Amino acid sequence: MTTIGILGAGQAGATLARSAIEAGYSVLIANSRSPQTIADLARSLGPRARATWAADAAAAADFAVLAFPYVPGHALPAEELAGKVVLDNNNYMPWRDGTFSAVDAGTRTVHELRQEQLPAAKLAKALSHIQFHGRDQVRIPGDEAPALVRLARPAGAPDRSALVVSSNYPEAVELVRGFYDRLGFDTVDNSPLNESWRSTPGTPMWQASFDGQSREELIRNLQRAERTRPSSSRSPAG
């Protein structure tokens, strides 16, 4: 059984852990504190989940997910993640994170900066435009469920949504493709990592992400993106 190390136990990490377990994975989940602080969460996830220290989760995982914002100078378990595929679901949100001059200047994406923090890992931007919460305004039954759950469909379903992956490593893209499929989504490859700005908050694909978009729609929306200075205002929650 494939083991995922989920570093970050907030809403995104906890929601992803539940979906991954339902898809047949086992999960090691960690936060920036101690395993005891998320013991209740781990128990609620069932027998295929265990709370642990971040470095231990990174070391034991077959691949890992970073479910927390990028912070310059942040000490990550780089040695434990060396050689592994690492999914980064972060988005650059200046209203939340402050501004990063390289990202604002267009010389780096926030995911390239994260890759520099983990030079020996195989980073992929993934799961960055699927919401881990329900819609703010419930229109129909089911809207209260996280979009990761609400939009999931079996392979071949006519209304199956697609998600983006960007990476400098083809093997990371293929791992994410298989992961997405088991979670219930098709894949659009928007590599390399320096193209990941096309799936950032405010872009056409981002605006269409709350109710899902087909693979063809997602490709068109990525192509429509124009690189502009990121907004300092809060992004819509969907």
Side-chain angles (χ1 to χ4, degrees):
M1 183 181 296
T2 301
T3 298
I4 308 173
I6 300 179
L7 309 187
Q11 187 173 49
T15 301
L16 177 60
R18 289 190 177 91
S19 290
I21 289 168
E22 290 179 5
Y25 295 90
S26 63
V27 166
L28 297 172
I29 191 164
N31 62 8
S32 59
R33 294 172 290 165
S34 72
Q36 289 75 21
T37 62
I38 53 172
D40 288 345
L41 169 61
R43 279 192 291 270
S44 74
L45 293 171
R48 291 211 304 270
R50 181 163 60 90
T52 186
W53 295 98
D56 293 338
D62 294 298
F63 68 94
V65 179
L66 305 183
F68 52 86
Y70 167 82
V71 177
H74 195 171
L76 302 179
E79 183 176 347
E80 291 82 359
L81 293 172
K84 296 183 179 183
V85 173
V86 177
L87 282 55
D88 183 10
N89 91 319
N90 176 50
N91 284 295
Y92 179 38
M93 297 181 177
W95 58 265
R96 179 192 66 188
D97 307 328
T99 59
F100 307 139
S101 59
V103 179
D104 288 345
T107 60
R108 289 283 193 281
T109 66
V110 72
H111 303 282
E112 289 177 290
L113 296 178
R114 184 92 92 176
Q115 177 71 85
E116 291 171 6
Q117 290 181 324
L118 298 169
K122 300 172 183 178
L123 195 85
K125 178 182 182 180
L127 297 162
S128 62
H129 63 97
I130 184 74
Q131 285 68 51
F132 296 93
H133 54 76
R135 289 190 65 98
D136 287 347
Q137 297 179 347
V138 176
R139 310 154 304 164
I140 58 174
D143 272 0
E144 66 279 1
L148 184 68
V149 176
R150 175 171 53 87
L151 298 178
R153 298 289 188 276
D159 60 344
R160 201 184 207 206
S161 296
L163 301 177
V164 166
V165 59
S166 299
S167 181
N168 295 337
Y169 298 93
E171 58 268 42
V173 172
E174 289 310 304
L175 184 147
V176 172
R177 192 186 305 277
F179 187 41
Y180 280 173
D181 185 55
R182 288 176 65 173
L183 290 177
F185 298 89
D186 289 338
T187 300
V188 172
D189 183 2
N190 181 51
S191 297
L193 208 54
N194 63 13
E195 286 292 298
S196 61
W197 63 269
R198 293 183 181 275
S199 56
T200 54
T203 57
M205 62 76 60
W206 179 272
Q207 300 296 345
S209 67
F210 303 114
D211 292 314
Q213 50 204 309
S214 69
R215 189 175 186 279
E216 294 73 20
E217 291 169 335
L218 182 50
I219 290 170
R220 288 196 297 270
N221 285 331
L222 288 166
Q223 293 171 341
R224 291 172 53 212
E226 296 180 3
R227 198 162 197 169
T228 59
R229 182 182 177 86
S231 172
S232 60
S233 61
R234 181 183 290 267
S235 296

